[in-house]
Amino acid sequence: MTLAAETQSIVKQFEYTDDDVNKGVKEFLRQMDEGLQKDGTSLSQIPTYVTGVPNGTEKGLYMAVDLGGTNFRVCSVKLNGDGTFNITSDKVAVPKALMVAKTAEELFAFLALQVRRFLEKHHGDHFEAHIRRRMTVSSPEGYKDEHVFRMGFTFSFPVQQMGINKGTLIRWTKGFDIQDAVGKDVCALLQDEIDKLHLPVKVAALVNDTVGTLMAHSYGAPGSHGAVLGAIFGTGTNGAYVEKMANVKKPMVGEYDLSTGEMVINTEWGSFDNQLNVLPNTPWDVVLDKQSVNPGLQMYEKRVSGMFLGEILRLVILDLLKNPNISFLKDDNSSTNDLRSTTDIAENSSIFQQWGVDSAILSVAAGDHTPALSLLRKGLDDSLQIHAAAFEDAQAIKSVADAIGRRAARLAAVAIAAIVLQTGKLSDPARKDEPIDVGVDGSLVEHYPYFRAMIHEALSIVDGIGKEGADRIRIGLAEDGSGVGAALIALVAAGMEKNSAGSGEILGELRSTAKAQAAAAVDDEKATSD
């Protein structure tokens, strides 16, 4: 069998047909409903306690912090009320010692200190005025005139959320290991340390980065309704969408605003169809899953997200190399190679290492339309140390890479289509002929050529959407979900506080704290004088 014929046989196995897409959408809708009925399902369908999305008219100054790994970011976001914003941010590395500290207090005290430094640096006058007011407590009512910064806390670790600003840590990941924090409310841990520093900041919302993507795009997208879905297609993949509260049947603990009749749901769709009812399953998918750290889990993510696409390609390339019946990445002599050289693969090439192929090479392949595929061949040389690959070799790699990428885009369309259909927005008379906005983020939608175009192509063949409906679905890049999105969730949380019976609770807490501190200071002064 020739290399071209073997390549075509492999490409065919990655085909995800129109019929497959429609079967996938139906199964996604079924698993969405199952996740709204009960816990412990493939699609977790986690209520976020965020009960509304912005429409771009909101104004104000809000804060956001993001602990997503080894860095901690602090932002302030000024919302201008016209869909635009101004953002100021600082980032600091988290010391390795604090990532494995003995107590939660050590880490969260460090985080609160960064918030203080940010306020001093970027909001000095405002900050000093608040601090003076806090320390003097000149009026009997404490903080009558004080503006408290509402802050969204993006915390990218597994938590059990119990309210818009309440969530207990389930476990640490990404090199963190502070057992003292497990089972504790991470918002309360941060708020306690902020209060010790007398900062005018309220941790108003616990934020998932996917929900932040939805919020950020809702604010920036033109139109009066906001986005229906925020999705990430990057290293991992996930989506959050606006669901009718009436459809959420499983019990929810904690308080939330009932006035909107809606709830943002974090789907955790990376685990869609772990049972493989409808997901494609090539021999290379099987090997990747078996060799992964979580076999049998995150099966959708393993076919869609950037973390895995490069590994699928690597496994295919290895199989082609092992095939004795074809000539692939090897030459008898230089006359068989259009570069007048012989192909050489370095012994330490990352092609021989698990996870050694970055998904960026798929983007290079997709974007290379040069007659000799010179861009891809240079990429193979630079990143994989495959030197002087022949044109036929590069052509085979491009064909397989394109098939893997196209399948990922069509699988992405399955999730988007299902959620658009679930929301009913396409058939809503109030939104007749209006665009349906979907906010996306991540390396695939940003850097993989034609990824969004391939999603749109697949949407147009979905039953219940069609070409006319697909033309109304507007997929746009969201800006800074963990920063701007978190600040916007803090805004929503502030609105919920106003709507709740206990809207004075925050100022009440601050006043009580201030009076207690003032009383303690008087006692200390008496003790010193005695």
Side-chain angles (χ1 to χ4, degrees):
M1 184 181 281
T2 65
L3 175 59
E6 181 64 20
T7 301
Q8 279 308 111
S9 172
I10 291 169
V11 166
K12 190 169 181 58
Q13 293 181 67
F14 284 100
E15 280 184 10
Y16 196 65
T17 67
D18 293 355
D19 188 47
D20 292 331
V21 170
N22 275 294
K23 285 177 182 173
V25 170
K26 285 174 185 168
E27 180 65 10
F28 201 102
L29 283 164
R30 188 192 70 76
Q31 292 190 23
M32 282 178 73
D33 183 63
E34 188 178 55
L36 293 172
Q37 303 285 338
K38 59 185 179 181
D39 291 321
T41 58
S42 283
L43 282 179
S44 297
Q45 295 286 78
I46 302 167
T48 65
Y49 296 83
V50 177
T51 56
V53 296
N55 60 20
T57 62
E58 297 82 359
K59 294 182 180 181
L61 183 64
Y62 295 87
M63 290 190 68
V65 292
D66 178 13
L67 183 66
T70 54
N71 291 316
F72 181 64
R73 188 165 69 124
V74 186
C75 316
S76 62
V77 180
K78 182 176 179 291
L79 305 172
N80 298 322
D82 58 0
T84 67
F85 56 84
N86 304 96
I87 185 167
T88 305
S89 67
D90 285 341
K91 187 160 67 174
V92 63
V94 178
K96 284 193 171 11
L98 291 181
M99 293 169 67
V100 292
K102 289 186 177 178
T103 66
E105 183 179 345
E106 294 171 69
L107 173 65
F108 285 89
F110 169 81
L111 303 183
L113 181 61
Q114 306 316 308
V115 174
R116 175 177 179 142
R117 287 174 176 168
F118 179 87
L119 288 171
E120 289 173 334
K121 178 180 175 182
H122 298 289
H123 301 280
D125 294 344
H126 195 61
F127 172 68
E128 289 301 326
H130 286 312
I131 291 298
R132 283 196 298 273
R133 193 180 298 126
R134 272 183 177 248
M135 298 306 286
T136 57
V137 200
S138 54
S139 79
E141 295 163 303
Y143 297 97
K144 184 175 180 181
D145 302 318
E146 182 176 40
H147 170 80
V148 179
F149 282 106
R150 291 330 194 259
M151 183 170 77
F153 182 15
T154 299
F155 186 76
S156 299
F157 301 90
V159 294
Q160 177 64 51
Q161 195 155 356
M162 298 169 293
I164 197 164
N165 68 341
K166 291 183 177 66
T168 56
L169 176 65
I170 296 171
R171 64 182 178 278
W172 289 105
T173 57
K174 307 175 189 176
F176 283 76
D177 186 15
I178 308 169
Q179 287 306 304
D180 177 54
V182 175
K184 292 182 179 177
D185 181 354
V186 293
C187 289
L189 289 171
L190 182 56
Q191 187 69 61
D192 287 346
E193 299 306 319
I194 284 172
D195 289 345
K196 288 177 187 176
L197 297 178
H198 311 294
L199 305 181
V201 175
K202 165 74 174 179
V203 183
L206 181 61
V207 180
N208 170 282
D209 57 355
T210 312
V211 181
T213 298
L214 168 64
M215 303 298 278
H217 195 64
S218 288
Y219 189 77
S224 59
H225 292 290
V228 299
L229 167 66
I232 292 177
F233 297 104
T235 305
T237 183
N238 191 19
Y241 74 102
V242 184
E243 180 61 270
K244 298 179 185 70
M245 270 304 306
N247 292 335
V248 183
K249 305 297 185 184
K250 60 186 176 185
M252 287 177 55
V253 298
E255 296 179 359
Y256 48 92
D257 181 10
L258 291 167
S259 64
T260 67
E262 295 181 330
M263 172 75 70
V264 175
I265 299 292
N266 168 22
T267 65
E268 290 295 340
W269 72 31
S271 60
F272 164 61
D273 197 28
N274 282 341
Q275 310 90 331
L276 298 179
N277 292 337
V278 295
L279 283 178
N281 201 33
T282 70
W284 304 283
D285 294 310
V286 173
V287 173
L288 181 147
D289 181 52
K290 282 182 180 175
Q291 295 178 352
S292 70
V293 297
N294 55 351
L297 301 175
Q298 300 297 104
M299 300 302 264
Y300 178 76
E301 184 167 75
K302 287 171 181 171
R303 288 150 177 77
V304 174
S305 76
M307 179 176 178
F308 299 99
L309 301 187
E311 180 65 5
I312 296 172
L313 177 62
R314 187 187 77 87
L315 292 170
V316 174
I317 291 173
L318 286 183
D319 273 5
L320 286 171
L321 278 171
K322 292 173 190 171
N323 189 331
N325 300 317
I326 59 172
S327 176
F328 177 66
L329 295 177
K330 47 185 175 278
D331 305 297
D332 295 329
N333 60 62
S334 60
S335 69
T336 62
N337 187 314
D338 62 311
L339 295 178
R340 295 292 180 262
S341 180
T342 54
T343 306
D344 173 62
I345 306 176
E347 286 185 13
N348 63 344
S349 167
S350 55
I351 200 77
F352 301 119
Q353 301 162 20
Q354 187 182 19
W355 312 115
V357 176
D358 192 291
S359 293
I361 197 71
L362 280 84
S363 297
V364 174
D368 189 355
H369 302 294
T370 59
L373 296 180
S374 53
L375 298 178
L376 175 57
R377 291 158 92 175
K378 185 177 187 305
L380 293 172
D381 194 302
D382 292 346
S383 63
L384 300 179
Q385 293 180 279
I386 298 175
H387 307 303
F391 173 72
E392 292 78 7
D393 300 332
Q395 203 170 35
I397 291 171
K398 176 176 169 60
S399 294
V400 173
D402 287 352
I404 293 168
R406 177 174 166 78
R407 186 184 74 164
R410 289 173 77 82
L411 282 167
V414 165
I416 293 171
I419 285 174
V420 168
L421 290 171
Q422 173 74 8
T423 64
K425 301 299 183 186
L426 275 175
S427 55
D428 184 352
R431 304 198 47 162
K432 186 172 173 16
D433 299 328
E434 286 191 12
I436 307 297
D437 278 306
V438 174
V440 293
D441 194 7
S443 54
L444 282 175
V445 286
E446 282 193 66
H447 304 304
Y448 190 103
Y450 320 116
F451 196 81
R452 279 184 280 170
M454 289 189 289
I455 290 174
H456 255 123
E457 177 197 32
L459 290 174
S460 69
I461 58 85
V462 173
D463 297 340
I465 295 180
K467 187 178 184 309
E468 187 178 334
D471 287 345
R472 286 178 57 198
I473 299 172
R474 187 167 57 186
I475 301 173
L477 288 175
E479 294 188 70
D480 197 358
S482 64
V484 177
L488 285 160
I489 296 175
L491 176 149
V492 171
M496 288 169 61
E497 289 163 9
K498 289 177 184 175
N499 291 337
S500 70
S503 60
E505 183 182 339
I506 294 169
L507 290 181
E509 287 176 5
L510 292 171
R511 290 167 187 155
S512 299
T513 303
K515 288 174 182 176
Q517 289 169 346
V522 171
D523 291 342
D524 288 345
E525 194 174 322
K526 283 182 180 176
T528 304
S529 61
D530 290 345

